[in-house]
Amino acid sequence: MTRIHTNHIATMTEMREPHKVLERSGGKPVAVMKNSRCVGYFVPAEATLQEEPRVATLDEVMQSLERRKHMNQPVLDYLKDK
């Protein structure tokens, strides 16, 4: 069974009028179904990133690692002898 990654679905027939599908989904991605199988996703522009993602600096990465050290340490200890 295939997992659908959105709460909104539309059939291929409904995609003849994509503006209605967009209105009904409220700007969220829509799974497009054909014969009860997901064949793709219709993603409106407002559901995509509008700006370029920012790359973290080395200092930000190191600070994050330090903050999460207590959570990461058990995993690192387990992997040490693997």
Side-chain angles (χ1 to χ4, degrees), residues 43-63:
V43 182
E46 59 263 21
T48 61
L49 290 176
Q50 298 301 316
E51 53 191 48
E52 195 66 29
R54 185 181 71 81
V55 177
T57 65
L58 181 58
D59 289 337
E60 291 171 331
V61 171
M62 296 308 289
Q63 288 172 0

Side-chain angles (χ1 to χ4, degrees), residues 2-81:
T2 304
R3 183 180 178 111
I4 297 176
H5 302 284
T6 182
N7 293 333
H8 305 282
I9 62 170
T11 64
M12 293 295 281
T13 304
E14 291 172 312
M15 291 304 296
R16 291 179 184 166
E17 299 179 282
H19 62 284
K20 289 183 180 179
V21 173
L22 286 175
E23 287 174 10
R24 195 177 65 223
S25 75
K28 304 282 189 208
V30 177
V32 180
M33 309 296 281
K34 180 178 181 182
N35 298 328
S36 299
R37 298 191 73 214
C38 182
V39 295
Y41 290 90
F42 185 55
V43 182
E46 59 263 21
T48 61
L49 290 176
Q50 298 301 316
E51 53 191 48
E52 195 66 29
R54 185 181 71 81
V55 177
T57 65
L58 181 58
D59 289 337
E60 291 171 331
V61 171
M62 296 308 289
Q63 288 172 0
S64 175
L65 287 173
E66 189 61 38
R67 279 193 313 267
R68 296 183 48 86
K69 187 173 187 175
H70 69 283
M71 295 172 70
N72 296 340
Q73 195 59 51
V75 175
L76 294 173
D77 291 342
Y78 172 78
L79 292 174
K80 194 178 291 184
D81 63 342

